[in-house]
Amino acid sequence: MTNVIAELQMPPLFRGDVPIVCPVCGQDDDLTLIIDSDDFSESASYMKCADSHQWAEPRMPRRIGAELFARREREAPEMIDWSGAS
């Protein structure tokens, strides 16, 4: 597979019992995970909210995004926003 940068809209996310929220506006649902399909590192993933606030989320390692991307690409490719793919 070629390296892909894509965006994936996520349901509400929690680490433990604490929701992942936009640090600017507090949005906690329909957050977008920005995925690098080749990055299986423990570095923070980039996320953004509907108001386009973007941040590095240390509780969501990039590895999780890459794993989600691989699964969605196999099982539900229509859920991936390919417009930002490079």
Side-chain angles (χ1 to χ4, degrees), residues 51-68:
D51 288 334
S52 295
H53 302 130
Q54 187 171 318
W55 71 98
E57 179 53 64
R59 296 178 294 159
M60 178 66 70
R62 292 181 188 184
R63 163 187 60 77
I64 292 174
E67 291 167 358
L68 284 171

Side-chain angles (χ1 to χ4, degrees), residues 12-20 57 59-61 64:
L13 298 168
F14 294 85
R15 291 300 287 196
D17 292 334
V18 180
I20 293 177
E57 179 53 64
R59 296 178 294 159
M60 178 66 70
I64 292 174

Side-chain angles (χ1 to χ4, degrees), residues 6 8 17 20 23 30 35 43 62-63 66 75 83:
L8 181 63
D17 292 334
I20 293 177
D30 295 326
I35 296 170
S43 298
R62 292 181 188 184
R63 163 187 60 77
E75 299 171 5
S83 65

Side-chain angles (χ1 to χ4, degrees), residues 1 9-10 13 23-24 29 32-33 35 44 57 60-62 64-65 85:
M1 176 171 82
Q9 191 168 359
M10 302 297 293
L13 298 168
V24 177
D29 62 341
T32 300
L33 178 61
I35 296 170
E57 179 53 64
M60 178 66 70
R62 292 181 188 184
I64 292 174

